[in-house]
Amino acid sequence: TTLSALEAQFPVLARPSAAASGYGMSKPKLQQVDCFLRATRHCLRQSTEIGRVVDVGCGLGALTRELAISLGVPCLGLDRDPEKVRSAERLAENVGSQVSFAVCDIQRPGALRDVLRPSDLVVGLHPCGSLGEDLIRAVATSEAALLMVSCCIMGRPWAPVPFPRPPCSQLGQELALSM
C-alpha cells in the first residue's frame, strides 16, 4: 500500500495542520501533537457521548492544553509526578477553566476508578515503558473510551518492562503471544 492510499483511507491523519500552538515543542513533537489533535477531533465527531478528554501521562500538559483549546471540551491531565502537575497548572493559567490537572499514578490498582466517567475519552500519546499496558488495563475496567498512540517497545528505568513482554489483551493471552 502506498502512502497516498493510506492517507486517502485516513484523511484525519494525512498531514499536519497549523492547529497546535507549540509551547516550545520540537517540530517532530509538534507534528505528533497536531496529528493526535485531529484524530481526537475525529473521535469526538463520531460520538456525541464524549464529554471530557482525560490525558494520562500528561507531563507538562502541552497536549492537554492543546486539546482544551482546539476541541472546546473539558480536559483533565493526569501525571504521577506532582512537580510536573504543578508546572502544567502554571503553564495553563491563561487557558481557562476547560483544562485542569491532577496527580494520579495509574500503576496503583484502582487509581482511575474514581476519576473516569462513562463519557470520558482517555488519551495517551506515547505512554512509555509499561504505562501503555497499565493504561489499557485501567480503561478496560471502566466505561470510558481510549485513544492511544503507543510508545516504542523500549522500557524506561522508571517503568521497567519485562522481557519477553506478556500480552495485555485477552486475545493475546489466549494465544500466548509475547514481544
Side-chain angles (χ1 to χ4, degrees), residues 4 15 21-22 36 42 77 114 131-132 154 171-172 174-176 179:
S4 58
R15 287 193 173 67
S21 61
F36 199 83
H42 182 75
D114 296 330
L131 181 57
M154 303 298 290
L171 179 59
E174 291 169 5
L175 296 174
M179 291 191 338

Side-chain angles (χ1 to χ4, degrees), residues 17-164:
S17 70
S21 61
Y23 297 109
M25 289 182 270
S26 67
K27 185 176 179 179
K29 179 70 172 184
L30 183 61
Q31 290 173 329
Q32 292 168 2
V33 167
D34 184 63
C35 286
F36 199 83
L37 282 170
R38 289 184 293 126
T40 306
R41 187 177 295 117
H42 182 75
C43 288
L44 290 173
R45 279 192 219 119
Q46 301 302 310
S47 173
T48 58
E49 298 178 16
I50 296 172
R52 179 177 71 166
V53 176
V54 179
D55 179 13
V56 176
C58 70
L60 298 177
L63 176 63
T64 314
R65 292 188 304 272
E66 287 294 341
L67 289 165
I69 292 167
S70 298
L71 304 177
V73 297
C75 294
L76 171 63
L78 302 176
D79 202 279
R80 71 182 198 165
D81 183 338
E83 185 55 40
K84 284 186 179 177
V85 169
R86 283 190 292 276
S87 295
E89 289 170 335
R90 280 191 301 273
L91 291 167
E93 287 175 350
N94 296 326
V95 175
S97 62
Q98 288 284 82
V99 64
S100 59
F101 296 92
V103 176
C104 181
D105 183 357
I106 72 160
Q107 291 179 316
R108 186 179 53 79
L112 286 180
R113 190 174 316 129
D114 296 330
V115 175
L116 294 183
R117 305 172 188 158
S119 62
D120 284 342
L121 173 61
V122 180
V123 299
L125 179 59
H126 295 174
C128 292
S130 64
L131 181 57
E133 287 92 349
D134 294 336
L135 182 55
I136 292 168
R137 285 186 191 98
V139 173
T141 63
S142 75
E143 295 180 45
L146 174 64
L147 175 63
M148 182 176 83
V149 174
S150 65
C151 193
C152 61
I153 61 171
M154 303 298 290
R156 300 287 184 249
W158 54 265
V161 177
F163 184 81

Side-chain angles (χ1 to χ4, degrees), residues 1-14:
T1 305
T2 66
L3 180 58
S4 58
L6 284 172
E7 288 176 348
Q9 287 180 322
F10 303 102
V12 69
L13 300 177

